C-alpha cells in the first residue's frame, strides 16, 4: 500500500513544501496538489518537482472544464518532464458552483467530457497527429465553427512517457464506473471501507469488465486523517468542520454530490439536517451532527494496534494508496507519523 498526502490549497504552501523532503525521507510515496478556486496547482507542482527527488507528484484534481483537453495533455507532459517521470494526472469534474461560478463555463456532460478528455490526452502523449471527432470536443475545430485554418498537429516535444497515469476523482455511480474502465486510478472522497462495496461495488465491477488489461490493476486512493497513540481520539473532532462543509455546503439543495454520498452511506436524516443548518449559516451546529461513526471509519486515529487493523480493513476493501493527513503538533511529530504508518502498511 502506497502512502500519500494531500497538500492544503488554502495557505502555508511554501512552508509545507519546505517540509516535504523530510516526509520523502520518512517514506511518503506520493503527494497530491489540489486546485479549487485557489492558486493554480500546476505552478505549485513544478515547485515541488524542483524540491524533491523520489516523491511522486499528482494533481488532485485538475478540473476538466477549465482547460482544453490538449492543454491538460501538454501540462501533464510538461510536469512529467520536469519531474523526470514522477507525475500523475488527477482529473475531475469539480462542481457547478465552482465551474459556473468561478470559471463561467457551463457545467454540462461531466461523464462524456471526462471520457473524451482521457482519450485525447493519450493520443497527444503518443505523439499522434491529433484528430478527434467527439460529441463534446472536435480537433481540429471544424471549418464551419472557426476560420477553417485549423490543421492536425502533434505535440512538438517527445514526452518522457507515452502513458502518463490518470486518476479520476469520482463518487457518483456512473463516474466511478468510468474511472474503473478508463483510468489507472480512482480517487473517492469520504471513503468508508465497511460500506464501499455496497455503495460502489456494482459500479467498479461494471467498469472493470470493460477495462483494458494494459491499464493494470485499478489504483484505489482513499483518504484518512492519521494520529497514532493511546490518547489521540480528540483529533477526530478536527474532521467535523470539513465533513460539514462538503455534506452541507458544497452544492445547492439537490445538487450536492457529497450530500448524496452521505445518504447512500445510510445517513439520510443526518445529511438533510447538516445541509439545512449549513445553508442557514449555522456551521457549528451542522458540524456537531456529523456522525461519529463516519469520522471513525474514514480515519486512522487511535492506538497502533487500531491503526494497523484499520489499514488492513482498508486494504481488504481494495485500497492500494492511502492518502493520510498526519496530525501532530510539531513537524517532527508529523514526520514520525509518516514513518510509523509506512512501517504499519508494509
Amino acid at each position: 500500500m502506497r502512502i500519500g498526502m494531500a497538500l492544503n490549497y488554502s495557505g502555508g504552501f511554501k512552508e509545507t513544501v519546505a517540509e516535504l523532503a523530510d516526509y520523502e525521507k520518512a517514506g511518503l510515496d506520493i503527494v497530491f496538489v489540489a486546485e479549487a478556486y485557489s492558486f493554480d496547482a500546476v505552478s505549485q507542482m513544478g515547485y515541488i518537482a524542483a524540491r524533491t527527488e523520489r516523491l511522486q507528484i499528482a494533481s488532485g484534481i485538475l478540473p476538466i472544464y477549465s482547460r482544453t483537453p490538449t492543454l491538460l495533455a501538454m501540462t501533464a507532459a510538461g510536469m512529467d518532464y520536469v519531474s523526470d517521470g514522477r507525475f500523475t494526472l488527477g482529473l475531475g469534474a469539480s462542481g457547478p458552483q465552482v465551474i459556473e461560478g468561478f470559471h463561467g463555463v457551463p457545467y454540462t456532460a461531466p461523464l462524456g467530457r471526462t471520457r473524451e478528455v482521457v482519450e485525447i490526452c493519450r493520443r497527444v502523449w503518443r505523439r499522434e497527429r491529433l484528430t478527434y471527432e467527439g460529441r463534446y470536443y472536435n480537433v481540429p475545430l471544424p471549418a464551419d465553427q472557426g476560420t477553417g485554418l485549423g490543421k492536425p498537429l502533434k505535440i512538438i516535444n517527445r514526452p518522457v512517457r507515452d502513458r502518463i497515469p490518470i486518476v479520476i476523482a469520482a463518487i457518483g455511480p456512473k463516474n466511478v464506473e468510468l474511472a474503473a474502465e478508463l483510468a489507472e486510478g480512482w480517487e473517492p472522497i469520504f471513503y468508508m471501507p465497511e460500506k464501499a462495496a455496497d455503495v460502489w461495488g456494482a459500479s467498479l465491477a461494471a467498469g472493470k469488465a470493460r477495462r483494458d488489461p494494459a491499464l493494470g490493476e485499478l489504483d484505489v486512493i482513499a483518504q484518512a486523517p492519521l494520529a497514532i497513540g493511546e490518547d489521540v481520539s480528540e483529533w477526530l473532532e478536527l474532521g467535523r468542520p470539513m465533513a460539514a462543509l462538503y455534506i452541507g455546503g458544497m452544492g445547492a439543495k439537490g445538487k450536492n454530490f457529497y450530500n448524496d454520498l452521505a445518504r447512500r452511506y445510510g445517513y439520510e436524516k443526518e445529511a438533510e439536517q447538516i445541509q439545512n443548518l449549513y445553508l442557514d449559516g449555522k456551521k457549528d451546529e451542522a458540524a456537531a451532527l456529523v456522525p461519529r461513526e463516519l469520522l471513525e471509519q474514514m480515519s486512522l486515529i487511535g492506538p497502533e494496534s487500531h491503526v494497523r487493523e484499520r489499514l488492513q480493513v482498508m486494504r481488504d476493501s481494495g485500497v492500494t494508496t492511502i492518502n493520510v493527513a498526519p496530525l501532530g503538533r510539531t513537524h517532527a511529530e508529523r514526520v514520525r507519523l509518516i514513518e510509523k504508518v509506512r512501517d504499519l502498511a508494509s
Side-chain angles (χ1 to χ4, degrees):
M1 182 183 287
R2 291 193 304 175
I3 304 300
M5 186 172 74
L7 296 192
N8 191 335
Y9 52 74
S10 61
F13 176 79
K14 285 187 177 181
E15 293 80 2
T16 302
V17 173
E19 299 173 345
L20 271 180
D22 294 332
Y23 291 125
E24 187 175 37
K25 292 175 184 175
L28 189 69
D29 295 302
I30 186 168
V31 63
F32 289 77
V33 182
E35 184 175 274
Y37 43 102
S38 53
F39 292 148
D40 79 289
V42 180
S43 59
Q44 298 180 82
M45 291 187 294
Y47 184 69
I48 291 172
R51 298 292 297 272
T52 57
E53 298 177 357
R54 177 192 58 81
L55 197 62
Q56 299 288 309
I57 303 165
S59 54
I61 50 111
L62 295 183
I64 60 169
Y65 293 95
S66 54
R67 296 171 176 85
T68 66
T70 42
L71 180 56
L72 284 166
M74 292 162 62
T75 298
M79 273 302 309
D80 211 41
Y81 171 70
V82 298
S83 66
D84 295 319
R86 292 186 282 142
F87 182 64
T88 293
L89 177 60
L91 296 172
S94 186
Q97 285 190 322
V98 174
I99 298 306
E100 296 185 356
F102 194 66
H103 294 289
V105 176
Y107 189 85
T108 58
L111 201 66
R113 289 181 184 279
T114 300
R115 179 181 291 277
E116 294 188 12
V117 165
V118 170
E119 291 174 351
I120 291 170
C121 282
R122 287 175 174 158
R123 292 189 186 188
V124 170
W125 299 332
R126 292 194 298 265
R127 299 193 76 232
E128 296 179 8
R129 197 167 295 279
L130 185 60
T131 59
Y132 189 87
E133 295 183 9
R135 183 172 180 180
Y136 306 103
Y137 301 104
N138 284 278
V139 186
L141 190 69
D144 61 354
Q145 296 181 30
T147 65
L149 298 176
K151 63 179 182 179
L153 300 171
K154 65 180 178 181
I155 189 169
I156 294 172
N157 310 80
R158 188 171 296 279
V160 174
R161 292 179 290 177
D162 62 7
R163 194 61 174 267
I164 297 169
I166 292 175
V167 168
I168 296 177
I171 54 176
K174 289 297 182 182
N175 304 68
V176 171
E177 183 177 332
L178 181 74
E181 175 191 352
L182 283 187
E184 279 84 0
W186 164 53
E187 184 179 10
I189 193 172
F190 298 151
Y191 186 88
M192 295 181 71
E194 285 85 353
K195 299 185 178 183
D198 293 336
V199 172
W200 291 307
S203 296
L204 290 169
K208 289 178 180 178
R210 298 190 299 274
R211 186 176 180 81
D212 182 349
L215 287 171
E217 291 298 317
L218 183 69
D219 183 19
V220 178
I221 304 161
Q223 305 167 11
L226 171 69
I228 303 174
E230 296 299 323
D231 188 23
V232 294
S233 60
E234 73 274 6
W235 288 110
L236 269 177
E237 295 301 307
L238 291 182
R240 287 189 181 278
M242 182 63 73
L245 166 64
Y246 277 78
I247 296 170
M250 283 290 194
K253 280 272 191 177
K255 290 290 184 180
N256 183 323
F257 310 131
Y258 314 101
N259 191 277
D260 293 343
L261 177 59
R263 293 171 184 270
R264 291 163 66 200
Y265 274 154
Y267 302 117
E268 294 92 348
K269 179 181 177 181
E270 294 89 341
E272 183 172 0
Q273 291 174 331
I274 290 167
Q275 188 175 53
N276 289 338
L277 287 167
Y278 205 96
L279 295 179
D280 284 343
K282 300 175 181 177
K283 297 180 181 181
D284 292 340
E285 292 93 329
L289 291 182
V290 174
R292 187 173 178 86
E293 179 190 49
L294 178 67
L295 297 173
E296 289 175 341
Q297 292 189 5
M298 295 190 305
S299 302
L300 296 172
I301 295 178
E304 182 176 319
S305 59
H306 173 75
V307 172
R308 181 184 291 109
E309 177 185 317
R310 294 304 300 167
L311 283 168
Q312 189 59 50
V313 172
M314 291 275 190
R315 183 182 289 111
D316 290 343
S317 74
V319 173
T320 50
T321 298
I322 185 73
N323 239 5
V324 300
L327 303 173
R329 291 176 176 83
T330 67
H331 173 57
E333 288 181 9
R334 293 188 288 272
V335 170
R336 284 195 292 271
L337 282 170
I338 295 296
E339 290 173 339
K340 176 57 70 174
V341 76
R342 173 75 278 164
D343 290 341
L344 294 176
S346 297

